[in-house]
Amino acid sequence: SMAAPHVSGVIALMKALFPTLRPETFDALLASGALTDDLGTAGRDDWFGHGRLNARKAVQAALELAAGTTPTPMARLTAS
């Protein structure tokens, strides 16, 4: 799938900013929503998983990790 090289590229960006990034840390950030734009039902779902990977959010999370702060998921505004 084309998702694999895109995710690999985003992880490479993150590791360039925070070289000690561990898979467990990436997984936790992904599950928290700090790296993605949620699609479909709020939270993880079977159709969209954790959502669409957002490179800007991932780079911001890596910068926060490098600065010693805890990355937080960005607020999401929805309307219906």
Side-chain angles (χ1 to χ4, degrees):
S1 122
M2 266 318 285
H6 291 181
V7 172
S8 297
V10 169
I11 293 171
L13 286 171
M14 293 177 74
K15 286 198 62 84
L17 298 168
F18 186 64
T20 58
L21 179 68
R22 307 276 311 145
E24 305 83 34
T25 305
F26 181 84
D27 290 344
L29 290 169
L30 181 65
S32 77
L35 308 179
T36 59
D37 294 327
D38 201 7
L39 303 172
T41 306
R44 191 202 177 289
D45 59 66
D46 290 337
W47 187 256
F48 295 106
H50 289 292
R52 178 179 38 233
L53 186 62
N54 182 318
R56 182 185 60 80
K57 286 182 178 179
V59 166
Q60 183 61 42
L63 287 170
E64 290 177 20
L65 287 169
T69 60
T70 304
T72 55
M74 296 192 174
R76 179 174 183 213
L77 176 65
T78 59
S80 59

